[in-house]
Amino acid sequence: MMNRLIRPTLLGLITLLLPMFLWAEPQPLVFSHVVSPNTPKGKMAEMFKSMIESKMGDRFEIVIYPNSDLMDDDEAVSAIAEGRIHFAAPSLSKFEAYTQKLKVFDLPFLFRDIEAVNRFQKSPTGQSLLTSMDSQGILGLGYLHNGLKQLTADRPFTQPGDLAGLRFRTMNSDVLIKQFELLNAEAVPMAFSEVYSALAEQRIQGQENTWSNIYSKAFYEHQPYMMISNHGVLDYMLITNSDFWKELNEEDRDMFRYALEMALKYGNAVAKAKSANDKIELTSMKSISVFKPSASELATWQTAMQPLWASYEDLIGENIIQAARQASRH
Ligand code: LMR
């Protein structure tokens, strides 16, 4: 009699507790990136993690791999497309294998300042680029700023001709490669994680990057000459796998969207502060000589690099380049 009573109760208890055991482990969602935690992207990722985990930590865990610890950006973009990782925020220069349209961000001197970049990203054209790779498994959820790029080298330079014959690291983008070829320099595409040692071993003589990346990765230790060139932009697209996103329920998707919106706002504020602070850090170092070109000196660099706009018009789309130019006219 007793046994007959206990058995159903035990069975009921197991049925009740089983789902709890099954749900005990939150699903790990991988966010891979290549920069230090103390950068706009690093800080944004941490904010995203803490927002998601504070609201949905029983179900999701955001596992961040910074500093290329898991993979470099080229692999991260394909890992997102294939659904092997969940979030990444590669530079806009790293999507060449999936779309030609984002090359607009690589055109030298196209954006006057980061506000112009912001206006373009918020415009209908800028927003449409977020979904331009959706059919290939990559969905853009928003943009994040880092800042404008500066040129650095291991020897003095003031004129475009001074770079002739030097080897410059670029991101893996054919616009950026051609940009250096126009200056008769040799472009050497390589992953971000390899740049410091390539500079230290003098396999390259120069590079282009933002104040925040030059400072946080200590590129300046081997690049005593810098020019405040602001010649290009290094911004990011926060991406996820299209199927992963579509398979989330409506409520979760809204929560992820909200957390991303907040994290991107925060990351953009960090980008602004870091760009200003790291510029001060670098330009006040005694070991570094900073060339600040006059408007007419900068114009010679513009003249040397700007022919790229016309040569990429067909590939990128004239309407996209026009929308970007419009954003700089304000
Ligand atoms: C680079 O390769 O220089 C950048 O994409 C690194 C980064 O993510 O800021």
Side-chain angles (χ1 to χ4, degrees), residues 33-275:
H33 70 81
V34 298
V35 289
S36 312
N38 188 22
T39 54
K41 184 158 48 183
K43 294 272 182 201
M44 179 276 292
E46 278 164 14
M47 166 70 114
F48 175 57
K49 174 180 170 70
S50 77
M51 286 198 66
I52 290 298
E53 292 179 2
S54 73
K55 299 278 180 209
M56 308 195 283
D58 53 335
R59 291 186 298 125
F60 298 109
E61 181 195 0
I62 308 290
V63 186
I64 303 174
Y65 292 91
N67 288 318
S68 316
D69 284 347
L70 187 63
M71 53 182 71
D72 68 23
D73 273 336
D74 283 346
E75 196 189 338
V77 177
S78 50
I80 287 282
E82 291 156 16
R84 286 186 279 121
I85 63 170
H86 306 83
F87 297 101
S91 141
L92 293 161
S93 312
K94 302 206 174 149
F95 293 97
E96 192 160 273
Y98 296 86
T99 179
Q100 303 301 307
K101 295 179 181 174
L102 290 172
K103 288 186 160 134
V104 67
F105 289 101
D106 284 341
L107 293 178
F109 293 107
L110 184 61
F111 296 98
R112 195 177 55 194
D113 49 31
I114 212 73
E115 279 70 39
V117 178
N118 205 32
R119 273 193 295 276
F120 173 66
Q121 290 172 346
K122 287 192 166 145
S123 73
T125 309
Q127 288 295 299
S128 72
L129 298 178
L130 293 173
T131 49
S132 59
M133 300 170 282
D134 195 14
S135 62
Q136 298 168 87
I138 301 171
L139 180 64
L141 298 171
Y143 292 103
L144 174 70
H145 298 312
N146 184 317
L148 296 180
K149 288 181 289 187
Q150 318 300 328
L151 287 166
T152 72
D154 65 0
R155 61 201 71 188
F157 62 99
T158 54
Q159 314 271 332
D162 294 341
L163 305 191
L166 304 187
R167 288 163 62 82
F168 268 72
R169 180 265 172 170
T170 66
M171 292 184 268
N172 194 7
S173 141
D174 68 9
V175 179
L176 301 179
I177 293 170
K178 293 218 172 76
Q179 170 191 273
F180 283 103
E181 287 173 356
L182 276 181
L183 306 176
N184 296 315
E186 189 185 336
V188 185
M190 74 176 65
F192 188 59
S193 55
E194 292 168 35
V195 182
Y196 184 87
S197 55
L199 290 169
E201 291 157 18
Q202 294 166 350
R203 283 184 276 124
I204 49 175
Q205 285 82 48
Q207 63 90 48
E208 53 166 10
N209 224 307
T210 60
W211 296 113
S212 144
N213 281 346
I214 295 167
Y215 186 65
S216 61
K217 287 293 179 194
F219 294 164
Y220 61 86
E221 288 176 3
H222 304 284
Q223 297 281 272
Y225 297 95
M226 294 187 186
M227 170 176 158
I228 305 184
S229 51
N230 291 323
H231 63 285
V233 57
L234 198 166
D235 265 20
Y236 307 113
M237 188 183 283
L238 199 144
I239 53 172
T240 189
N241 173 265
S242 302
D243 289 339
F244 161 74
W245 190 251
K246 279 163 204 146
E247 280 157 19
L248 286 171
N249 69 45
E250 192 67 35
E251 213 174 302
D252 287 349
R253 224 177 4 245
D254 283 350
M255 190 55 225
F256 274 101
R257 218 180 258 123
Y258 176 71
L260 281 170
E261 201 182 304
M262 293 297 118
L264 289 174
K265 267 198 187 135
Y266 170 65
N268 282 335
V270 174
K272 197 170 177 185
K274 284 218 161 284
S275 196

